[in-house]
């Protein structure tokens, strides 16, 4: 019996989703990705600037750690970015795409600003600080609550909703910056209560940023504990993994969505407070500075684990600071850091593929069986 | 061979891993003929048809079309040979119109008017009733099915395969479909229809091929057979499994389901005036073709499915009170002190979270315990270790994600957890599906142990041999209706098989010969 | 004054129209590309680089500029720049199945950085006092409108006074609308975004459609950046002047309920809302900022209404934001 030749339509490369690979392999893949990204950005640097990449990296290091002031500055920036990343994390774990952190931070900052300006000379410092903390947390929470309610009850697309809320917050800030501008009509608020320091977060020791850093440190641990050890954190994981299972064990999914977004927004609001009351003592529409978006990447790169997030936040800020040092040192411009950051993130995002999928090459089949 | 068969399969074998889905199957269909493929769930009908449709590729054996051997390696190949398959799960884009769905993927010039006209022409020829411009999401299930059939005809198919087309239809819709199929047959098309409803087989087809557990049993001419003969071919001789079964001790009514009716989202009735009683110390089996409402019934009891009418009464053995569980959430049910355990059909999608480890999965039921806001990980960890030890779960450690365990071990984890809650009612849907023999016996023993402890066990199963040996009583449901309750000790496979393939509606129309089975209800 | 307002509104709207048409085509394939702001930015700077190179070449060679080349070179370099951005997004999300939100945001970071880096570098090259690059000559070519438009009074001003890129934007949107609703390829594309598994089963090459729609969408969006510098801004590039137009374009997609035809009118409306404060007498600066909020508020309103009404035609593509992997089913 002669068999007709079997045509194979199978493609040469075949993708399969793979089982979890051991954590060390996964991290090896990620580290390789970062190294590859550094090499690649090194090449880009040479092409664009003709500089020796090793020298460039050395400068980067100096930029980040060169002086005491720089180190504190670096840690302050890490702290704020980390705080926002922690804020978006519970939402993401629940598969709720809160990309409205930028707005939630700003609105929290705006609330702080309002308290500082309007109540600055009416309340005693401790009471004022308390009011600031409460209102900014509440403001951030409300900003997150709106999209959460619509998501829970009408399944309104949260990505787009939270995205739009950012710009409403930005415009609100712009509005109030004009309303409160000093001098009138200048369009700038300047340092608020520069003379009385009312509503400024206290300076611990003689380090301006130390309190900020400590607060974020506490939030980091609290968030880790919350997600890992609390009942609510457990509910978040279950809802994120499978709404069906959540229903099966009697979790009220709507309630969890709303509660989690409240937490997410509240921490964003607190981050806004740290920025305004604890760092800048002023506000502009750029106060959040895109950190709300960067935080999404930080959280995602850390696989939503608050402890890893310390590392990823650090990595991103290090890159930014380092790259901006390169710009000054080699007379490039500031934006070089964003290019480098972008490239490195692309590499890490891409590397996840190799963790989740295996590539199988089609086996070369032997010819017909009866020859 | 006189005239060549439209399509002929010779000695087709297909295995998935260790499971043999089809073994040496041979059959053929002529043009102008309807062939029914009959078999229970898991007998390999769909796998076989998927090989004709180019979705799977057979391990061995050959396929002939019009007497010529062909290779069908992709749906495209199948389409070239004018083979069209209507799947059980429709592949339609909801926001598109019928016509848009029908022409999707074709290369011809895009002209909706023309296409609509052609759709109308096909509809008229075979007697479909369809509005070509209606959107899919506005359609009933039977209309969607019509779109699928026209889609295949539009592409010029003359060998049609329909995978359980009547499972989702009302009797009236089924009659309409059959009229259409007969017209297509008279038009010279070869039609293969997968079904497990005997009366449909008898009223529609010219020939019947029977599969049982992947084996090809034989083909008979419809004119020369009857329901009893076909049932015998389908379910086979009784195989003794030696599952132990003790006499129930002091059975008392625990869960009384009275006349419940449920609709699904599309407004179709999925449970139709279902009533039954589950007693303590007894295993109540539920038999039926897959998708007859078993899942919805259990979910309704568990508080996961909206109930339109009727009541679910729970007699609490401790308080001696009776509570109505209807329209209560799972939490409210538990707050009433009802200890209800549920092993759902969808183990990793509902009963467990695949990405969580065994300990965290143990907590699903118990994580609310304790007064603080924090989880207590010690008790679930102990429980996990106990279950692993007692049920011999094969796992690297308690912190392995359950997704990575094998099917049997996943099920042991799930059943173990549900039993650990010390239930008074235990519902298990297909608890041994996909399990090897040893794991299956572990599960049977666990259920028997629960029975001995006075638990009312509800067991939804598909293997009739198991049901007959394990259960004290077996309730049979068909198309959302209870078609009979039989005694597990005296029932025969044929009896249950016949009940499974009937629906109450037919009983009403069908007349005297089915009344006997109905009597056992009382 | 009304005519002047309409004219300015249209000019404000055109970049948004490009951006949202591009994004609609992309989203129809099921990919939510949040990199659009970055892509538009790169489109703008790429055009600037091309124009800068050509203007300088002409100046140093000492001859005048050829009108066709003056348009073609920036135009093509804009397309190339935005295509490359689109390819990065596609490769990561389609081939490597990376998270779309994260990839898109990273792309925007990268794109804005890229634009500002080259913008800054060019500014340094020119040694200009001001932090901007002025390409008036090239811009003049882009801004050429019909010579007789001026003689037609308000009609000429409202309808005929724009550079060719404005008309191209409307033409592309109309073409996109026809493509999506009237052609087979459009049908297939919509099927890919709605239900990739069904499209796959129907023999449609899902990955190819995703790649093509994302890349073409990116190129269209990139033109929005080009229009902004060359026409709206009179050929003057300064870093970050593009503002939040990219996000506004994404908002417009929702406002237009994923229909390019509605996006045309919506873009003019958004453009009008963006500048309406300039035309309201005695409005102080602070209120202006509140007015700029309007497009976003309107968008949220639309988003909420469509989700509450649950009318199927107005929903986002069903598979928006989810990557497709055949064997997952």
């Amino acid at each position: 019996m002669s068999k007709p030749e079997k045509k194979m339509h199978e493609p040469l490369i075949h993708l399969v989703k793979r089982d979890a690979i051991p954590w060390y392999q996964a991290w090896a893949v990620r580290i390789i990705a970062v190294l590859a990204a550094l090499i690649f950005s090194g090449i880009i640097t040479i092409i664009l600037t003709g500089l020796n990449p090793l020298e460039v990296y050395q400068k980067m290091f100096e930029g980040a750690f060169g002086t005491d002031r720089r180190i504190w500055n670096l840690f302050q920036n890490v702290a704020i970015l980390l705080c926002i990343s922690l804020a978006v994390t519970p939402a993401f774990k629940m598969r709720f795409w809160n990309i409205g952190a930028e707005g939630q931070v700003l609105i929290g900052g705006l609330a702080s600003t309002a308290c500082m300006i309007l109540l600055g000379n009416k309340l005693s410092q401790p009471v004022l600080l308390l009011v600031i903390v409460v209102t900014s947390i509440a403001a951030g929470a409300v900003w997150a609550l709106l999209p959460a309610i619509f998501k829970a009850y009408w399944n309104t697309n949260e990505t787009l909703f939270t995205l739009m809320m950012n710009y409403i917050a930005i415009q609100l800030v712009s509005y109030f910056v004009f309303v409160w501008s000093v001098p009138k009509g200048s369009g700038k608020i300047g340092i608020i209560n520069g003379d009385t320091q009312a509503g400024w977060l206290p300076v611990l020791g003689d380090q301006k940023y130390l309190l900020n850093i400590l607060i974020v440190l506490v939030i980091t641990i609290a968030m880790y504990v919350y997600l890992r050890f609390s009942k609510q954190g457990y509910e978040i994981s279950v809802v994120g993994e499978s709404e069906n299972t959540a229903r099966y064990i009697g979790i009220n999914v709507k309630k969890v969505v709303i509660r989690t977004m409240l937490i997410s927004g509240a921490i964003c609001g607190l981050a806004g407070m740290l920025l305004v009351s604890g760092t800048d003592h002023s506000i502009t529409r750029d106060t959040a500075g895109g950190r709300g978006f960067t935080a999404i990447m930080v959280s995602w790169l850390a696989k939503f684990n608050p402890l890893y997030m310390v590392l990823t936040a650090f990595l991103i800020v290090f890159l930014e600071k380092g790259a901006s040092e390169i710009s000054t040192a080699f007379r490039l411009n500031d934006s070089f850091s964003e290019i480098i950051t972008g490239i490195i993130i692309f590499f890490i995002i891409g590397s996840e593929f190799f963790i989740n999928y295996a590539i199988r090459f089609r086996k070369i089949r032997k010819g017909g069986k009866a020859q | 061979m006189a005239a060549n068969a439209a399509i002929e399969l010779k000695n087709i074998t297909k295995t998935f891993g260790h499971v043999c889905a089809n073994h040496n199957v041979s059959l053929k269909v002529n043009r102008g003929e309807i062939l029914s493929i009959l078999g229970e769930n898991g007998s390999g009908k769909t796998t076989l048809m998927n090989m004709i449709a180019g979705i799977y590729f057979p391990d061995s054996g050959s396929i002939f079309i019009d007497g010529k051997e062909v290779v069908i390696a992709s749906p495209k190949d199948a389409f070239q040979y004018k083979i069209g398959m209507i799947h059980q799960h429709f592949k339609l884009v909801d926001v598109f119109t019928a016509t848009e769905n029908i022409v999707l993927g074709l290369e011809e010039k895009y002209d909706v008017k023309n296409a609509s006209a052609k759709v109308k022409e096909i509809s008229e020829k075979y007697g479909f009733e369809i509005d070509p411009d209606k959107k899919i999401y506005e359609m009933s299930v039977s209309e969607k099915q019509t779109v699928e059939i026209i889609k295949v005809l539009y592409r010029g198919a003359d060998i049609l395969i329909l995978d359980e087309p009547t499972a989702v239809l009302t009797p009236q819709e089924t009659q309409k479909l059959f009229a259409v199929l007969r017209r297509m047959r008279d038009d010279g098309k070869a039609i293969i229809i997968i079904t497990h409803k005997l009366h449909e087989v008898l009223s529609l087809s010219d020939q019947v091929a029977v599969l049982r557990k992947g084996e090809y049993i034989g083909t008979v001419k419809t004119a020369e057979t009857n329901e009893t003969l076909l049932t015998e071919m389908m379910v086979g001789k009784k195989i003794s499994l030696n599952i132990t079964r003790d006499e129930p001790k002091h059975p008392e009514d625990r869960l009384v389901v009275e006349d419940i009716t449920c609709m699904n989202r599309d407004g179709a009735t999925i449970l139709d005036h279902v009533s039954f009683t589950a007693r303590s110390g007894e295993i109540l089996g539920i038999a039926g073709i897959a998708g007859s409402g078993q899942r919805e019934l259990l979910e309704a009891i568990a508080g996961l499915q909206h109930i339109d009418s009727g009541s679910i009464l729970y007699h609490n053995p401790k308080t001696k009170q009776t509570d109505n569980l209807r329209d209560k959430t799972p939490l409210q049910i538990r707050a009433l002190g009802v200890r209800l355990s549920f092993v759902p059909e969808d183990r990793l999608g509902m009963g467990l979270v695949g990405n969580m480890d065994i300990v965290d999965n143990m907590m699903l039921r118990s994580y609310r315990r304790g007064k603080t806001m924090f989880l207590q990980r010690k008790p679930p960890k102990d429980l996990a270790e106990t279950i692993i030890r007692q049920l011999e779960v094969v796992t690297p450690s308690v912190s392995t994600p359950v997704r990575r365990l094998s099917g049997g071990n996943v099920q042991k984890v799930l059943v173990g957890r549900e039993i650990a809650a010390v239930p008074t009612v235990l519902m298990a849907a297909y608890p041994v599906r996909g399990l090897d023999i040893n794991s299956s016996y572990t599960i049977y023993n666990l259920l028997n142990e629960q029975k001995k402890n006075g638990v009312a066990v509800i067991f939804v199963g598909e293997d009739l041999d198991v049901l007959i040996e394990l259960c004290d009583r077996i309730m049979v449901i068909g198309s959302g209706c209870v078609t009979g309750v039989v005694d597990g000790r005296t029932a025969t496979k044929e009896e249950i098989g016949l009940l499974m393939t009937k629906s109450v509606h037919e009983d009403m129309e069908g007349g005297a010969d089915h009344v006997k089975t109905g009597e056992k209800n009382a | 004054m009304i005519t002047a307002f309409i004219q300015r509104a249209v000019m404000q709207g055109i970049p948004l129209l490009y951006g949202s048409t591009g994004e609609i085509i992309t989203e129809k394939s099921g990919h939510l590309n949040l990199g659009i702001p970055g892509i538009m930015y790169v489109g703008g700077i790429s055009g600037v680089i091309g124009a800068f190179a050509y203007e300088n070449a002409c100046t140093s060679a000492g001859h005048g500029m050829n009108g066709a080349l003056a348009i073609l070179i920036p135009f093509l370099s804009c397309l190339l720049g935005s295509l490359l951005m689109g390819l990065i997004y596609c490769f990561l999300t389609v081939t490597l199945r990376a998270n779309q939100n994260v990839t898109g945001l990273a792309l925007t970071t990268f794109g804005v950085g890229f634009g500002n880096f080259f913008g800054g570098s060019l500014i340094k090259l020119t040694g200009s006092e001001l932090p901007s690059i002025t390409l008036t000559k090239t811009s003049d070519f882009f801004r050429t409108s019909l010579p007789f438009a001026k003689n037609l009074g308000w009609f000429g001003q409202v309808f005929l006074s724009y550079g060719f890129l404005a008309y191209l934007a409307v033409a592309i949107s109309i073409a996109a609308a026809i493509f999506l609703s009237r052609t087979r390829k459009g049908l297939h594309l919509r099927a890919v975004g709605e239900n990739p598994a069904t499209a796959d089963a129907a023999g449609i090459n899902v990955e190819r459609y995703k790649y093509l729609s994302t890349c073409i969408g990116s190129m269209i969006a990139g033109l929005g950046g080009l229009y902004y510098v060359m026409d709206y801004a009179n050929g003057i590039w300064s870093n970050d002047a593009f503002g939040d137009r990219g996000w506004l374009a994404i908002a417009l997609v929702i406002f237009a309920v994923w229909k390019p035809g509605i996006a045309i009118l919506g873009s003019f409306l958004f453009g009008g809302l963006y500048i309406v404060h300039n035309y309201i007498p005695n409005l102080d600066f602070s209120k202006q900022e509140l007015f700029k909020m309007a497009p976003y508020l309107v968008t949220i309103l639309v988003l909420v209404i469509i989700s509450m009404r649950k009318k199927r035609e107005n929903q986002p593509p069903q598979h928006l934001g989810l990557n497709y992997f055949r064997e997952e089913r």
Side-chain angles (χ1 to χ4, degrees), chain A residues 189-203:
Chain A
I189 285 190
I191 302 295
I192 307 164
N193 302 342
D195 43 354
T196 61
Q197 304 207 342
W200 290 27
L201 280 193
V203 175

Side-chain angles (χ1 to χ4, degrees), chain A residues 14 17 156 167 331 333 335, chain C residues 117 124 247 307 327-328:
Chain A
H14 184 73
K17 216 164 194 173
T156 308
Y167 294 93
R331 301 171 157 271
N333 74 52
S335 309
Chain C
F117 176 77
K124 206 170 282 170
W247 298 111
S307 65
E327 295 179 17
E328 213 142 26

